[in-house]
Amino acid sequence: MSLNLDDKKAVVAEIAAVVANAQTIVIAEYRGIEVSSMTELRKQARESGVYLRVLKNTLARRAVQGTPFAELADQMVGPLVYGISEDPVAAAKVLHTFAKKDDKIVLKAGSYDGKVMDAAAVAALASVPSREELLSKLLYVMQAPVAGFVRGLAALAEKKGEGSAAPAAEAAPAEATEA
């Protein structure tokens, strides 16, 4: 079904708005993919905060004009699915992970930080831990010294508690025998 001019302008405006906030765009071919697989891919993308859409390449080229992703327009050939994300790693991770499961999805290219990436570079970007993973690792590293200090204090308090509890326990049986 073809779109009329107003519909095309609306699609370009919607994509341009999403691209304006994006840090990464990843494109992949989807020849011969089953509907159930595409539905699963869309679900995974939604859960990861990735805007995933099948677009006409001419509309996608117009949407990225004048943005840091403009150089990616040369790669927009064939039946493509576009993954766009504000998280630098999310789009690459979702499409790369899904491409491992379903060989009908083939990573073609991507763009991050104004640079066009080939499929190997997209795969490398997908292997980078996400922002949340990096923050949790940083938090663990920051908590380790404090947690060790707290465990040391707890052990010291327990040791002192055992030392003062032992004489009290010895005094209790002595009182019981006197009565």
Side-chain angles (χ1 to χ4, degrees), residues 138-148:
L138 176 65
L139 184 61
Y140 174 76
V141 168
M142 291 172 63
Q143 283 182 335
V146 175

Side-chain angles (χ1 to χ4, degrees), residues 25-104:
I25 295 178
V26 177
I27 56 177
E29 286 189 9
Y30 66 94
R31 291 181 202 268
I33 191 168
E34 295 178 9
V35 173
S36 59
S37 293
M38 187 59 104
T39 303
E40 184 182 339
L41 175 60
R42 286 187 169 125
K43 179 183 175 214
Q44 290 175 5
R46 250 190 323 275
E47 290 170 354
S48 299
V50 175
Y51 181 86
L52 189 77
R53 184 143 181 206
V54 174
L55 296 168
K56 288 185 142 209
N57 295 329
T58 54
L59 298 179
R61 283 188 205 106
R62 288 183 187 209
V64 297
Q65 275 180 338
T67 68
F69 305 108
E71 293 180 25
L72 190 60
D74 297 336
Q75 303 291 326
M76 296 177 183
V77 177
L80 300 175
V81 61
Y82 295 83
I84 305 169
S85 67
E86 294 179 20
D87 182 352
V89 179
K93 194 171 287 251
V94 167
L95 284 167
H96 177 69
T97 304
F98 197 80
K100 285 183 194 175
K101 289 193 311 190
D102 191 340
D103 61 345
K104 306 268 178 159

Side-chain angles (χ1 to χ4, degrees), residues 89 93 127-139:
V89 179
K93 194 171 287 251
S127 68
V128 173
S130 69
R131 183 176 189 271
E132 288 78 22
E133 291 175 59
L134 291 173
L135 286 174
S136 68
K137 287 179 182 180
L138 176 65
L139 184 61

